[in-house]
Each structure stands twice: as C-alpha cells, then as structure tokens.
Amino acid sequence: MSRYSVFSLLRHAATGNRGWQRAWRAASPKASYDVVIIGGGGHGLATAFYLAENHGIRNVAVLEKGYIGGGNVGRNTTVIRSNYLLDGNTQFYEFSMKLWEGMSAALNFNVMFSQRGQLVTAHSADQLDTFSHRANVMRSNGIDAEILDRDAVRKLVPYLDFSDTARFPIHGAIFQGRAGTARHDAVAWGYARGASGHGVDIIEGCEVTDFVRQGDRIVGVETTRGRIGAGRVGLAVAGHTSVLAQKAGLELPIESHLLQAFVTEPVKPLVDHVVAYGADHFYLSQSDKGGLVFGGNLDGYNSYSQRGNTGVLREVCEAAIALMPNISRLRLLRHWGGIMDMTPDASPIISLTPVDGLYLNGGWCYGGFKATPASGWCFAEMLATGETPALIRGYGLGRFRSGHMIDEAGAGPFAWLQ
Amino acid sequence: MLRIDCPCCGVRDHSEFRYGGDATAERPAHDNPDLDAWYRYVYVRANPKGLHREFWQHVLGCRQWLVVERDTVTHSIHSVNFSRRQRA
Ligand SMILES: Cc1cc2nc3c(=O)[nH]c(=O)nc-3n(C[C@H](O)[C@H](O)[C@H](O)COP(=O)(O)OP(=O)(O)OC[C@H]3O[C@@H](n4cnc5c(N)ncnc54)[C@H](O)[C@@H]3O)c2cc1C
Ligand SMILES: [Zn+2]
C-alpha cells in the first residue's frame, strides 16, 4: 500500500493522475481465517482494522454481501457528537470523538472530519434546564459543552426563526463545539484501505447465508462464494442483525426500522454548524457541495424495504420550515433510506453471545456512524481476547433481562418510538 | 403512504393509524412470576424479513385496534382484522 502525501499528489499530478492504485485489494476467500467479520459497513471494517493494528491479528476476512459503503455507512447524515447524558454512553461516545480527532492521520486517509459544532435549540426554560443537566454531566466527564441564551444563539445562527410569529420561540441552546461531520464514504474506504494494507481480506459480493457448527460451536460460515472456516465470527450487519442471528439460533431484542435522509439542491454557504431542532425531530447541516442534508423521525413501522414513506417527508419538511422559514423555497434533490437495527433502549449491543464462537456488534439504531471508530476498537478487543472491554460493559445483551437499560430518550421498550 | 383497509371504515392512509408493534408476542398471565416469559414478551422480537403480524390502531377513525399482516420488504398488506376477534 503506497502512502498518500502531498508528494504523492504532486507526483501523480505530474503524470496525469494515471498511476493511482486501488485503495484495497479485491480478495478471494481463503478456506479459513482466525476471525471472520460479517458486514463490510463502517463497524465491520473498523473492527478488522483495529484487529490488525492493535492486536496483530491479520488473518481476518470482512465479508460484504454488496459493496463497501453500500449500507448505512454510506447512507447516514454524518453527524458526530459526544453529548450523551447517561453513564456508559457519555464515556463511550467521547472515546469515539477522540478517535475521530486522530482518524485522518491514523488512516493516512482524509475523512474530512469537520468539527463545526452542533447545537440543539431549547424552546422553554424547562428544556434549557434539562440541557444544563446534560451539559454538566458532559463537563464533569471532561467533554466540552456550552449553554447559550437566546441572544447567543441568535448571534451564532441568525437565520433561524427569531420572529414574534415563530411556532416555538427559541429560548436558548446546548452547544458542543467539537461536534461536527465527516465524509462517510471516506470513513468506509479509509478503514478498508487500512485493513487491507495490514493483510485483511475484504471480500465484496459475498453474502453469508448460514453458519457452520461443530457441536455447539460456530466454526465458520456458508456464503454465496462457498464455505469459509473461522476461529471466531463477528456479526456487524446493522439492519440485518436479526436475520443472521436467527440462523445462529439467537433471539434478540431488535426490530428493523427505516430512517430517511434528505438533501436539497446546492446553495451558497448558509449553515456553518449542525443544527438540531429541540421542539420536533429535525436536524440539518450543509455539505461541502452546498446541499442541505437533513433528517428526522423513523418511518415508524418495521421495515426492510430501504425506501422511505412520503408522510415522513412532509412531517420533516414542516419541522424544517418551522425552524428555518428561509429554506421553504429550496427544492429537494433526493431522499433515501437505510434499515437500522433498533433496540428497546436505542443503545447499541456489543456483546458476547450464548452461542460459542459468535460475537455481536449491532443495535446501532440511528446513531452508529459517530460510534464507528470506538465500536471497531472495542469489538476488535473483544474478538481478540474473548472478553468484554471495560468501556462497553453497559452494552451487553444481558442488560434487558437485568433491567439495566441505557434509555437516553426515556421512551420505553418500543423500538419505533425511540 | 401505506393504505390500510380498516374493516370498519374502509381504505385509509396509514397516517390515520397509530402503530402498535409485533402482534405475535405472547403476554404472560398477570400473576406469572417467570422473569424469562416477561423478558421475551417485553423485549424479544422475531423481526421477520417478510410477513409480519402487527397492531395498528385507527386513532383518527373508529379507534379500533387492528391486526395487520404486512410484508416488511414490499409493504404489501395481506390481511386486516379486528384484534379482539383475532385474539379470542
Ligand atoms: C438515514 C440515516 C441517517 C443516519 N444519520 C446518522 C448520523 O447523522 N450520525 C450517526 O452517528 N449515525 C447515523 N445513522 C446511523 C448509522 O448510519 C448506522 O448506525 C451505522 O452506519 C451502522 O453500522 P455500519 O456502518 O456497520 O452499517 P452498514 O454500512 O449498514 O453495514 C452493514 C453491512 O452488512 C452487510 N450485510 C448484511 N447482511 C449481510 C450478509 N448476510 N452477508 C454479508 N454482508 C451482509 C450490508 O450489506 C451492509 O453493507 C444514520 C442512519 C441512517 C439510515
Ligand atoms: Zn377504522
């Protein structure tokens, strides 16, 4: 793998950019690996990278049924933040944030991580109180957080509706300056390239159809490209977690739901931050191309269809123009959807399982992009050692049975309301 | 928009309905002390890719709870019934 640098850029520019190599090898499956990771999304690829980088385990394959970046890692709205309230989440997402801050250098791949800051608007004194509680928890964990009053919000984002007729007048906001966005494709490609450079086989167009067992233990997988043996199997298939877990005889507290995202036609720079609406479900940022990228609620019923419902489109746009009337005339360019594995508390599951040889990484819901580096880091450690790293002790499968949910929204065990 | 053929009101947009989730989860008897049975009822879901039996309530119509059989991949609806009859 040749390193990218300003010199390689100049050299290739001088030779007409004809000499660039593939970023990762197109591997064919070997008979067996020490570790097989199912799912070539952000989490699977990051896991493979850290297995090699942190633990020296290089006899690893990532099996992806489609192409790298075709799943949620390439469909999300790329918001990265570490403003979580509850113990377990707060520390995990901040660890992830720190990895984001060093990611482009660590991968030698520009993931365009942009710490432009994220704010959530508050629309009553009480809401601002709950935000202050959150900010205090963050700061006592060493995480940056600011509480802004109405004037400070107005100075920062003057284009929001500060008029007398605003549907929900803005009272203040919580702001995290280190939050931001990254280029999602680059994250997938960067981890794929890094893993491949360490000898990991990245095998696209390879769907896992079943598991191979020896007694009670899983010792490999059946795929559309033949049987592949495995010392350990890591499952990281996002919205399809239940489908594969079922083949392993594992019952899970997961439902698959659809989340949409939307992008407008490109406009000149308008939105410098990530803005989230505290009175309804709506958030947006502006891409480097100029499109306003935004999202809102789940479609609201179990779905594996990867295409969204127009009812949600209308609701999200209503929320958008309640907060930002100035975008009401923009045209929508595209909308798309991704299938997510929703858990009953909207927190993820990184866990040992009752099935020998099978390790689970899933339940990322609508918030797993920001978790990509930390999830890969911790899951790699779990696959390497067979034990649960301290940072993710709260994310075990057993928490639902024992009553130790991490329910940030306080929505109760209804996946579609989380 | 999904269109649900309410046995009481006829075909209506799904935005008139409230989703109620998996209709196959078995509620244990009220005095059942078995933790595992309650864990499975509250949390464990088959989450099928394909036909799913699920609750919908026609909140902006007759307010009846319905059991709808819907394909989670194509969204085609195979049957709609009152939930009280289904569960009798
Ligand atoms: C519209 C939308 C917006 C979002 N916005 C944000 C956001 O702003 N911030 C944030 O933090 N998170 C966000 N998320 C959530 C985030 O995208 C996901 O939590 C995260 O990407 C999931 O992990 P992944 O990248 O590994 O998933 P994926 O990229 O989906 O990877 C899973 C892979 O497994 C493969 N697979 C499935 N079955 C098999 C099989 N049988 N064999 C082989 N391979 C298989 C799939 O093809 C897929 O490529 C959003 C999600 C969506 C849908
Ligand atoms: Zn009705």
Side-chain angles (χ1 to χ4, degrees), chain B residues 28-60:
Chain B
H30 203 67
D31 54 358
N32 186 340
D34 179 9
L35 184 69
D36 202 57
W38 286 101
Y39 165 69
R40 294 174 51 84
Y41 170 64
V42 178
Y43 297 111
V44 173
R45 297 293 175 259
N47 191 22
K49 185 175 184 177
L51 267 199
H52 188 230
R53 269 163 56 86
E54 58 199 25
F55 289 120
W56 290 83
Q57 186 192 13
H58 197 183
V59 272
L60 300 184

Side-chain angles (χ1 to χ4, degrees), chain B residues 6-10 12 16-17 58 60-64 66 82:
Chain B
C6 175
C8 186
C9 314
R12 300 295 182 87
E16 288 187 10
F17 297 77
H58 197 183
L60 300 184
C62 59
R63 297 193 67 81
Q64 292 296 312
L66 309 174
F82 289 122

Side-chain angles (χ1 to χ4, degrees), chain A residues 39 41-43 64-65 72-73 76-77 79 208 364 366-370:
Chain A
H43 292 249
E64 166 54 48
K65 75 172 170 188
N72 290 348
V73 68
N76 68 82
T77 45
V79 178
V208 172
W364 288 102
Y366 37 66
F369 179 66
K370 67 178 78 66

Side-chain angles (χ1 to χ4, degrees), chain A residues 163-400:
Chain A
S163 71
D164 293 339
T165 54
R167 177 69 185 85
F168 295 103
I170 293 169
H171 198 88
I174 183 171
F175 182 72
Q176 186 185 19
R178 284 159 69 240
T181 60
R183 168 128 198 243
H184 46 11
D185 298 316
V187 174
W189 299 335
Y191 275 121
R193 174 170 169 271
S196 179
H198 280 316
V200 170
D201 279 357
I202 293 176
I203 304 167
E204 297 174 86
C206 180
E207 178 170 0
V208 172
T209 53
D210 211 341
F211 293 94
V212 183
R213 289 160 182 280
Q214 212 167 64
D216 282 342
R217 194 180 165 79
I218 284 183
V219 294
V221 291
E222 299 287 355
T223 80
T224 48
R225 296 180 66 176
R227 173 177 291 203
I228 302 173
R232 285 179 173 160
V233 175
L235 190 60
V237 292
H240 279 76
T241 304
S242 298
V243 174
L244 277 147
Q246 197 177 31
K247 292 186 197 297
L250 198 60
E251 291 181 317
L252 294 179
I254 285 179
E255 287 183 12
S256 293
H257 284 267
L258 185 128
L259 181 68
Q260 302 190 50
F262 313 88
V263 63
T264 69
E265 58 188 327
V267 290
K268 290 192 174 161
L270 168 68
V271 181
D272 300 325
H273 308 92
V274 179
V275 178
Y277 190 22
D280 201 347
H281 212 134
F282 164 74
Y283 63 94
L284 104 166
S285 67
Q286 187 163 19
S287 79
D288 294 324
K289 266 194 287 187
L292 301 184
V293 180
F294 61 100
N297 258 328
L298 302 180
D299 270 24
Y301 43 85
N302 293 47
S303 176
Y304 283 93
S305 79
Q306 236 177 46
R307 67 200 146 83
N309 195 304
T310 49
V312 168
L313 170 60
R314 193 178 55 209
E315 284 166 25
V316 174
C317 289
E318 279 169 4
I321 58 174
L323 183 67
M324 289 181 66
N326 59 337
I327 62 170
S328 66
R329 305 282 289 275
L330 282 185
R331 279 167 298 192
L332 196 66
L333 202 61
R334 287 183 293 129
H335 71 128
W336 62 93
I339 306 301
M340 301 157 320
D341 37 351
M342 296 293 300
T343 59
D345 60 358
S347 291
I349 300 168
I350 311 178
S351 186
L352 310 174
T353 75
V355 183
D356 229 9
L358 183 68
Y359 298 76
L360 174 64
N361 178 322
W364 288 102
C365 305
Y366 37 66
F369 179 66
K370 67 178 78 66
T372 304
S375 160
W377 185 285
C378 294
F379 198 41
E381 188 177 333
M382 180 178 273
L383 283 163
T385 63
E387 311 210 336
T388 306
L391 188 63
I392 54 167
R393 263 193 212 128
Y395 290 159
L397 203 45
R399 72 177 183 270
F400 302 100

